[in-house]
Amino acid sequence: MPASAKLFLALGAALGACGVVLGAFGAHALKARLATNQLALWDTATQYLFWHALGVLAVGLAYIPLPESAWLRAAGTLLVAGIVLFSGSLYLLALGAPRSLGAVTPLGGVAFILGWAALAVAALRT
């Protein structure tokens, strides 16, 4: 199996595990401590983390037949960056970070969009 496939499969699996941990933490430890709007931010962050962790897994699987694809590397990198920027900023906002951090969230959304687009290009260029 190509090293890039292993990398993105491992990253996707680790991010999925993080989603479980953070989702459970929000549902159990934070439920009584955060306001409803803060819990909604936490839930949104967790949902996007999970969906995009699956995207990172898809990139890893796509690397098996396409081990040299620069588009796949871009897709995986952008999806991981989107998780960090989008979900990460929402988690921090839910925990009381300054509202100005919300300016980072759309950058994560753009990274998600570009990541999925790069995955589509990689598929079409096979």
Side-chain angles (χ1 to χ4, degrees):
M1 181 181 302
S4 295
K6 289 180 185 180
L7 171 66
F8 285 110
L9 287 169
L11 272 173
L15 289 166
C18 287
V20 173
V21 169
L22 291 167
F25 183 70
H28 299 290
L30 297 179
K31 190 170 188 174
R33 293 190 170 111
L34 296 181
T36 303
N37 64 326
Q38 291 170 298
L39 283 173
L41 286 174
W42 193 273
D43 289 342
T44 299
T46 301
Q47 287 179 29
Y48 275 77
L49 171 56
F50 269 123
W51 285 112
H52 293 87
L54 291 174
V56 175
L57 286 172
V59 169
L61 292 172
Y63 255 112
I64 296 170
L66 303 169
E68 302 299 323
S69 175
W71 285 102
L72 282 179
R73 178 163 300 281
T77 301
L78 286 162
L79 290 173
V80 171
I83 289 169
V84 171
L85 295 172
F86 185 91
S87 294
S89 65
L90 290 183
Y91 285 130
L92 292 172
L93 287 167
L95 295 174
R99 301 306 277 163
S100 60
L101 184 63
V104 172
T105 309
L107 298 175
V110 170
F112 284 150
I113 293 164
L114 294 174
W116 288 108
L119 183 55
V121 171
L124 293 171
R125 291 194 166 222
T126 60

